[in-house]
Amino acid sequence: MITAVSLHPTRDVVLEVPGLARGGVNRATHWFSYPGGKALNVARTAGLLGGDVRAVVLAPPSWRSALRERLGAGGVKIRLLPAPGEGRICVFLNEGRRETVVNTDLPLRLGRALFERIVRAVRRASRASAYLVLSGSLPPAFGAARVRRLFALAAAGRARLAVDQSGRRLAESLVHAPWLIKPNLAEFRRLVGPVRATLPALLAAAEAVRRR
């Protein structure tokens, strides 16, 4: 079983706006919306490919039906951790082949009770899953101590831990020896320092990270 943990999902709103006039009034020719974010994309894709997939999602209860619609085609089972508020939004303005993205952060007051629910869900997933995926950003309300605890719990069970984070949170995850990390080139350079974008140089840097 694969469990994807989505603690900072977005409600993606896609607007088709040909000839976008910046600073003016525009009319979209088409629009649609769906629950998004890296972890949900992982869960949906793995489910559509036939995997046994669970998604642990921190989101408002009002998202439940949209999550079922988005993930249901792949048979993904959802555990919703109810979050207060309306959730986080991400707007995509599409002008033909050009796309402008406006993202936001989740305005979440993360009290102790809610964080302990997250802890229990991650601990259970790390014990019950073959693979545990921590993908996408984390809410700003997660301080350094909570991030460290989250990674420690994720790595403590039998699951192989896959991490898609960046910056300090990617570096923190390495303390717990994840099975896989997936940085892009810019994120990898922030982790290891300047490295040439050639396969031998990248492989050598990756091996140095693996040996830490």
Side-chain angles (χ1 to χ4, degrees):
M1 179 175 71
I2 301 168
T3 298
V5 179
S6 178
L7 299 179
H8 206 203
T10 57
R11 181 161 54 90
D12 291 349
V13 180
V14 182
L15 304 172
E16 302 289 344
V17 191
L20 177 67
R22 300 179 185 276
V25 177
N26 296 269
R27 185 176 296 276
T29 58
H30 178 64
W31 75 275
F32 56 96
S33 177
Y34 57 88
K38 288 182 177 180
L40 294 186
N41 293 339
V42 168
R44 183 170 184 267
T45 301
L48 290 172
L49 290 172
D52 177 15
V53 185
R54 306 290 189 274
V56 176
V57 188
L58 179 66
S62 60
W63 287 29
R64 191 183 301 273
S65 61
L67 286 165
R68 286 174 176 166
E69 181 179 352
R70 181 69 173 168
L71 302 179
V76 178
K77 297 178 178 63
I78 302 165
R79 181 177 182 191
L80 181 67
L81 303 176
E86 296 298 319
R88 178 181 174 222
I89 193 169
C90 182
V91 178
F92 297 81
L93 302 176
N94 289 339
E95 313 167 60
R97 295 186 178 182
R98 186 167 64 176
E99 180 179 82
T100 302
V101 180
V102 182
N103 216 335
T104 62
D105 282 322
L106 182 64
L108 175 66
R109 290 183 179 179
L110 190 64
R112 181 174 179 178
L114 178 55
F115 182 71
E116 289 303 319
R117 291 193 66 180
I118 295 169
V119 163
R120 290 193 295 271
V122 171
R123 181 187 292 117
R124 186 179 298 114
S126 72
R127 293 172 177 173
S129 307
Y131 299 90
L132 179 59
V133 180
L134 290 180
S135 181
S137 60
L138 298 174
F142 276 56
R146 284 174 166 175
V147 171
R148 287 193 294 270
R149 187 178 178 195
L150 189 70
F151 283 130
L153 287 168
R158 71 181 187 93
R160 290 178 168 179
L161 176 60
V163 174
D164 184 359
Q165 297 288 324
S166 62
R168 288 177 295 178
R169 289 172 175 179
L170 174 59
E172 175 63 35
S173 75
L174 297 181
V175 174
H176 307 284
W179 176 69
L180 178 147
I181 61 173
K182 194 208 73 63
N184 60 33
L185 182 58
E187 292 165 347
F188 189 59
R189 282 172 168 163
R190 284 198 293 272
L191 179 67
V192 303
V195 59
R196 295 177 61 195
T198 64
L199 184 58
L202 292 171
L203 287 175
E207 179 62 18
V209 171
R210 191 185 70 82
R211 291 178 179 274
R212 287 185 182 180

